[in-house]
Amino acid sequence: MRKASEALRWLRGPRARRNGVGERPRFPAAARRVLRVLRPRYPRPGRRGVRRWLPSPRQTLLAFCWVLALLAGLVGYGYARTEIPTDLNAFATQQDNVYYWADGTEMARVGPVDRQSMPLSRIPASLQAAVLSAENASFYTDSGISLRGLTRAVKAMATGGEAQGGSTITQQYVKNVYLSQSRTFSRKITEMFLAVKLDRKLSKDQILDGYLNTSWFGRGAYGVQRAAKAYYGKDVSQLTVSESALLAALLKGAGMFDPALGPANHKRAVRRWSWVLDRMVQTGHLSAAARRAITVFPEPQAPPRPAGLGGQTGYLVDTARAYVSAHSDISDAQFDRGGYQIYTTFEKPRVTALAAAVRTRLAALDPAARPADRDVRAGAASVAPDGRILALYGGPDYVKQGFDDANITIVPVGTVYAPLVYAAGLRDGVQLTRGAPRTPVTPDTLYDGDDKVTVRTPEGPYWSRDGKIVRVANDGGRSWGRIPLRKAVAEGVNTPVVQLGMDVGIDRVRRASVDAGLLPDSGFGEQVPQFSLGTATPSPIRVASAYATFAAHGTHTAPYSVLRVTRDGDPAPLRAPAVTHPFTPGVAAAVATALDRGSGRKGLAGTSPGNTSAWYAGWTPTAATTVALFRINPTSQQTEPLTGTTGTRPHEHTGSIFPAAIWSAYTAATG
């Protein structure tokens, strides 16, 4: 007790450390040094100003040691408290995803997921090597987590290199079968604890076996066996090294790397596939000579079409799923596991009416007798003024033609683009003299409507790259004389529209069309005079969305196909569509007046330069609808002229025949 009392007095300071006769108590020197270290004096004596509050190197080191000790204690505590779950996660309770019509009735069920376990002994060594090289080269030597892998992943992201991921295969397996896919700090810490414990409990081969049989490869496939069937139609044991490299590439995210999901995906897949092969050489799993021999990308087979999605249903399901993927935090892997209820904006009567209108008109085609009628396709979309996608026509049957023509983006929009040029002029005015203030235009502003008039810039005539003055031809070679802009747009007169686009500025026209609803990557191409005649290639959905902006008095709501998503009755967060106000009600009213066809219907027929497409776009009080007719060469997958299609004479266009008839039949049936 005496020693403790003396120590206490020593800790309290100089005055308390004096004994009754004015001497320090005898205290071991080593103990005094330890106590001085553990009790640094703060604020620091003998210092003035800011320096009095700045810690010394000794104090900084002490604080670091305390933090380190605390972290070690927390890690030890967390590790001791973490238990390996006895049950797997959602794999034990797979469910369908259910899609509903706008009225709440069931539209389609998709699922369950496709999975089948395969012993590691039957999984080819080349596939195992590709996965290890791409995901975790140190798998057989690490302890379940890899600090080196985390450091390498951070470095790759910082330098723009190929992402390799910081999670080991053991961590990914833990996430697949025990945890959720949420990206939270607590989930990541739990994942790391479980990975270390699982690494001590199971052999490396057992972990790799489980990982390869539970990982998601896209196309609803879990595990390498079903992935081999989904992509190459073969047993996993029959995969080549090249095919194995592609499956390994898919582990980074099948939604981004399935080459069948569009040109951008295909480009990413080829780059990732090549990287995996190179990585196999680096890790010693593939010789350099064998790598050089692999030069052809192993194109997978087309994705299988799920049963029950025939007719238009499959196109609607794909559109809704894409929307959920882009506007929620639900990963594609989570979505494939099922259990979600997706309430769409699609109205069944409208979808039925639109499909019937297209079928009726296309039935008049005679591809056997008229070559120009071959490979003719149509895409159509109907969008409400508030952005809801009410109906789509994606093709004759989703099971027979998976490509969705309502979302096609290789068809020129043609002269139905003219109202967007007109709106840009009304909103932004024109600049007729370089450097002068912009001049307002009105619907009654007169322009030269004669055939083949010279296109002008503020400096004079516009010269093409081949040294010729550019002139614009009107449809049928007709000259209209001086014509108000309102009438030029309504009658589809090319020369005033092109000159207006030049006077406004092609860059401003492009910006106005994006503001109205077209996507920034709508294939706008070069900003030349012909731009205003609709060389861009937006989808029918986006054209309908742009026209819906005028129907909504200048307010644009991004088109959306899903009202809400739930899982087991609980709502899943879904980001709301963006709402902007690109045009004043006055500008929108002027566009509506130009397109007025009576009985509350506003619309415009148009064709593209070269007659490679024919469109009709317009709106009623309830919906904006666009219909596109085009031909696609099945070999080159490029558009071809419609000249002669439907039996029209060579000098005639089909813009006012089929698309307009489809539009009229549909709007008559739906209002």
Side-chain angles (χ1 to χ4, degrees):
M1 292 294 290
R2 183 175 60 81
K3 292 292 185 183
S5 178
E6 290 175 353
L8 182 61
R9 286 198 303 274
W10 190 89
L11 287 171
R12 286 175 179 169
R15 185 173 298 176
R17 287 201 295 268
R18 301 290 180 180
N19 61 17
V21 295
E23 296 179 355
R24 291 180 181 272
R26 294 177 177 273
F27 208 67
R32 287 199 302 272
R33 285 194 295 270
V34 171
L35 288 171
R36 279 198 299 270
V37 170
L38 294 177
R39 181 189 175 273
R41 301 180 68 182
Y42 194 80
R44 298 169 64 190
R47 305 291 194 276
R48 296 181 179 278
V50 176
R51 294 182 60 197
R52 187 166 180 257
W53 299 96
L54 293 176
S56 67
R58 181 172 64 88
Q59 291 170 328
T60 302
L61 179 61
L62 179 62
F64 175 77
C65 291
W66 275 114
V67 171
L68 196 62
L70 180 61
L71 287 176
L74 290 174
V75 169
Y77 177 77
Y79 181 80
R81 291 293 303 271
T82 302
E83 298 292 339
I84 298 176
T86 56
D87 297 324
L88 301 183
N89 60 12
F91 284 91
T93 56
Q94 300 288 355
Q95 302 177 59
D96 290 340
N97 288 321
V98 185
Y99 293 80
Y100 295 90
W101 294 102
D103 63 4
T105 58
E106 186 175 310
M107 180 172 72
R109 286 178 176 264
V110 179
V113 302
D114 192 5
R115 54 192 172 91
Q116 177 183 345
S117 294
M118 180 63 59
L120 191 64
S121 59
R122 286 194 56 191
I123 299 174
S126 61
L127 178 55
Q128 296 181 46
V131 170
L132 291 172
S133 298
E135 297 295 316
N136 185 191
S138 64
F139 170 70
Y140 278 99
T141 58
D142 64 40
S143 61
I145 59 175
S146 173
L147 295 178
R148 181 179 297 179
L150 287 169
T151 304
R152 186 175 60 248
V154 172
K155 180 180 178 182
M157 287 188 292
T159 59
E162 184 72 34
Q164 300 177 33
S167 296
T168 64
I169 281 177
T170 308
Q171 287 175 261
Q172 294 180 54
Y173 176 55
V174 164
K175 182 174 64 175
N176 286 347
V177 300
Y178 294 126
L179 304 175
S180 71
Q181 302 294 313
S182 62
R183 299 178 179 179
T184 62
F185 180 74
S186 61
R187 201 274 297 156
K188 190 68 176 179
I189 294 298
T190 303
E191 172 194 300
M192 296 175 72
F193 288 153
L194 284 174
V196 174
K197 285 201 167 187
L198 198 68
D199 189 78
R200 299 179 64 183
K201 179 180 180 181
L202 302 179
S203 70
K204 289 291 188 179
D205 282 351
Q206 286 176 308
I207 295 173
L208 183 60
D209 181 293
Y211 174 72
L212 292 175
N213 282 297
T214 57
S215 292
W216 180 71
F217 289 85
R219 301 190 179 184
Y222 280 83
V224 291
Q225 172 65 0
R226 286 307 186 190
K229 293 283 188 182
Y231 286 88
Y232 293 107
K234 61 174 68 172
D235 189 89
V236 67
S237 62
Q238 300 173 325
L239 291 175
T240 66
V241 174
S242 182
E243 293 165 346
S244 296
L246 178 60
L247 292 193
L250 293 169
L251 289 170
K252 189 180 179 184
M256 296 270 297
F257 293 93
D258 183 345
L261 300 181
N265 264 41
H266 193 280
K267 184 177 181 179
R268 283 191 293 265
V270 171
R271 185 171 60 245
R272 180 72 175 177
W273 163 80
S274 180
W275 177 85
V276 170
L277 290 171
D278 293 340
R279 181 74 177 149
M280 291 175 71
V281 176
Q282 295 173 10
T283 57
H285 290 105
L286 185 67
S287 69
R291 169 64 183 97
R292 286 194 297 270
I294 302 174
T295 57
V296 179
F297 181 71
E299 296 287 355
Q301 64 187 14
R305 298 294 167 192
L309 297 184
Q312 298 303 303
T313 304
Y315 304 119
L316 305 179
V317 166
D318 276 359
T319 301
R321 173 167 179 168
Y323 186 84
V324 172
S325 179
H327 292 82
S328 76
D329 293 326
I330 302 171
S331 70
D332 290 339
Q334 287 176 294
F335 202 82
D336 272 353
R337 287 176 182 161
Y340 292 95
Q341 298 81 46
I342 302 94
Y343 296 87
T344 75
T345 60
F346 304 123
E347 297 182 1
K348 188 175 182 179
R350 286 182 174 273
V351 172
T352 302
L354 187 57
V358 175
R359 268 197 317 270
T360 299
R361 301 309 296 179
L362 294 190
L365 296 174
D366 189 359
R370 290 191 296 265
D373 284 1
R374 297 171 188 168
D375 306 313
V376 173
R377 288 155 58 171
S382 192
V383 178
D386 62 4
R388 288 173 296 126
I389 303 176
L390 305 177
L392 299 176
Y393 179 84
D397 190 297
Y398 179 78
V399 175
K400 297 177 182 177
Q401 179 193 295
F403 194 87
D404 184 355
D405 288 330
N407 282 286
I408 194 168
T409 55
I410 61 172
V411 179
V413 66
T415 48
V416 297
Y417 188 74
L420 299 175
V421 182
Y422 183 41
L426 295 174
R427 183 184 75 173
D428 297 345
V430 297
Q431 189 175 51
L432 303 179
T433 303
R434 191 70 65 197
R438 302 188 71 83
T439 304
V441 297
T442 71
D444 294 320
T445 299
L446 297 176
Y447 267 75
D448 190 343
D450 284 345
D451 185 46
K452 296 182 179 180
V453 297
T454 299
V455 177
R456 302 190 65 82
T457 70
E459 289 78 20
Y462 183 93
W463 295 79
S464 66
R465 291 179 179 176
D466 59 2
K468 296 180 180 179
I469 293 178
V470 174
R471 303 176 187 275
V472 179
N474 286 331
D475 192 20
R478 180 177 175 181
S479 290
W480 295 75
R482 301 287 289 176
I483 184 174
L485 282 176
R486 177 182 60 250
K487 186 175 182 180
V489 172
E491 300 293 341
V493 186
N494 292 341
T495 49
V497 172
V498 170
Q499 188 58 57
L500 175 63
M502 297 297 293
D503 294 344
V504 174
I506 300 299
D507 57 333
R508 287 177 176 264
V509 172
R510 181 183 184 279
R511 190 182 315 142
S513 61
V514 171
D515 292 343
L518 304 192
L519 292 174
D521 58 350
S522 294
F524 285 106
E526 290 185 293
Q527 295 187 5
V528 295
Q530 199 176 35
F531 182 97
S532 296
L533 295 181
T535 57
T537 57
S539 69
I541 291 176
R542 283 291 169 171
V543 177
S545 174
Y547 272 63
T549 299
F550 301 122
H553 312 294
T555 297
H556 172 66
T557 304
Y560 63 101
S561 57
V562 177
L563 297 167
R564 68 184 189 280
V565 178
T566 61
R567 195 174 197 279
D568 299 328
D570 297 324
L574 192 68
R575 291 184 285 277
V579 178
T580 57
H581 305 278
F583 304 108
T584 65
V587 169
V591 174
T593 300
L595 304 186
D596 195 357
R597 296 294 181 264
S599 302
R601 300 181 181 185
K602 283 81 177 173
L604 184 67
T607 56
S608 65
N611 196 31
T612 55
S613 66
W615 292 70
Y616 195 92
W619 71 89
T620 66
T622 57
T625 304
T626 57
V627 181
L629 191 76
F630 50 93
R631 294 178 64 205
I632 297 288
N633 185 306
T635 302
S636 66
Q637 292 298 303
Q638 298 299 312
T639 56
E640 293 189 335
L642 288 167
T643 305
T645 298
T646 71
T648 54
R649 289 185 291 274
H651 66 278
E652 294 178 337
H653 295 308
T654 58
S656 60
I657 302 177
F658 272 29
I662 293 169
W663 191 92
S664 296
Y666 166 71
T667 54
T670 58

